[in-house]
Each structure stands twice: as C-alpha cells, then as structure tokens.
Amino acid sequence: MRATRFLITTALLGGLAAPASAKIRVVSSLDDFASIAGAVGGDNVETVALAKGYQDPHFVDPKPSFILQLSRANLLIAAGLELEIGYLPPLIDQSRNADIHPGGKGYLDASVGCDILQRPTQQVTRAMGDVHPFGNPHYWLDPENGRMIARSIAAKLSELDPGHSAAYSANLAAFEAKLTAKETEWRSLMAPYSGTKIVTFHNSWPNFAKAFSLVVAGHIEPKPGIPPTPSHTLEIINLIIAEKIPLMLVEPYFDTKTPKYIAGKTGATVLTFYPSVGGTPEIKDYFSLFDHDINLLVSAMKGKS
Ligand SMILES: [Zn+2]
C-alpha cells in the first residue's frame, strides 16, 4: 500500500515538473497563439488551444479536459486584456498549477509589447456594453502584432527551457522571415482597396483594418456584445447607403440574419470573416488565416468593380 502511494506521488511530481527530456507543454486560449508557439517551439513543444477557431473567443464553454490540460501545462498563453475573463480565471484556479497563474513563470500575456488600440480614456461602465477596459483584445489580427507575439513566446520558451534556446531563436528567425515575405504579398493584394470603408458585426477588426488601411465605419452590434436592434440596424442601413460601403465582415459565430437583411436593403456584400486559426479547416496556421481572409476580401471587391 505504502509503495503504491509512493509510486503515484512520484508519477504526479514527474508530470508536473517536466523532466529535461520532455517537451514543453503549451496551452493557449486561442489557436492563433498555439500556431505561433508551434512554429517557434518546433519539436521541443506540444501545443493545445482551449477555444476552437470557430467559437466566440469571449465565451468559451469550459470542459473538464481543460482543467487537466492546464494542470499539466508548463506554459499558458492568453490574449489578456480581459478577453478570457468569462472562463479562464476559474479554470486556472481549478488546475492547481501555480506556475500558470498571471504573474507566474509559466504565464504569458501575449498582448505585452503589441500595438493595442482603443484603450478607453474614460471610465468603462456596463452601459457601454461589453467594452474591454484595457483596450481592444483582438490585436493578433495585425501581422506585426503576430511578430511581437512570436518574439514574446520565443523569449518565454528560452526562459523555461534554456537548453533549447538556440533552436527557439532559429525558429523565431524563420517565422519572422516568412512573415515579412507574406506581409509584402498581403499588402500588395490589399493596396488597390486602401481606404475602403467596411462595417463589421463585432469590433474584432481594428488592428486588421489598421494593418491593411481599411476604415471601419460601423458595427452591426449596437454596442460590443449586444445583439442587433431594429433602430441601430436602420442606422447601419442608412450609413452603408450614404457612404457607399461595399462590405460587411461577419465573424463565423454570429447569426447572419441581420447582416443578410441589411445586404438586401443596401447591396453590400456579407463576408464570413474568420478571426482565428482553425475557423475553417483550410485555415491551418497563422499565415493561412491572413491568406484566407485577404483572398476572400479581394475576390469580393473584384466582383464589385
Ligand atoms: Zn471583442
């Protein structure tokens, strides 16, 4: 009996302490961070994301398996800025893994160092809807922020696993070189549509719009997290007509009833626009996320000219 208990304890400790030969276990809130961590970590890490790319990243249904994954994690990567406030803090508590608490050595807030837009300058109240008090948390949709996230992950992996820091540096350099080349390609594809006004369902796209010189003129949600209302929908219809707005971008987890109604009144095109890796099977990594969305937007705009 005594021996059995000793064995179980050793196995648990071994699992938590990650022996030198084991891979670094990375859990991220979003598939986007898992993709970047996989590129930077290579063979020395294993990654898993809690949210699926087709789910609303603000509202993830916690599963018991998440607690197990978090209990075994060496590194937790979160978007921060309160994107995950609705589900992640209790899961961290229940994981009983002190390393991955905010401030712990195994916690990485991916927003640090990124260009964060729309930081509120006034007190945030419930009347403003689901406004995030530290700025817009959908910042990974600017590829330059993807670069910052990759650098933060490489630095953190080197800290947790210094024996492989040369590999992390080399992988980061390869990721950045590919990103630089892809950014040139994406910018040239988007250049003809610079200054195009768009309406988006949720306020997910300010960083994307900034990166590719689009202008977000309005949102189908009257306030963040608040479903469409008839009066606001009428305002959006009038705005689209007055400003000749060609496109509405709708995240895959929203009902398209209102966007389609607005399209019927205005002629604007509804595009299902994916904010995360894994939103559809062809969006298999951080690069194909931009490939997919940019190709969709460019084809829709070509159809209009
Ligand atoms: Zn949001």
Side-chain angles (χ1 to χ4, degrees), residues 58 83 130 132 136-138 202-204 224:
H58 307 80
L83 180 69
D130 206 2
H132 298 282
N136 191 293
H138 304 276
H202 179 71
N203 188 12
S204 308

Side-chain angles (χ1 to χ4, degrees), residues 27-30 33 76-80 84 88 107-111 139:
V27 176
S28 62
S29 57
L30 302 171
F33 304 147
L76 169 61
I77 307 172
E84 298 100 345
L88 193 54
Y107 179 84
L108 179 65
D109 177 339
S111 73
Y139 56 86

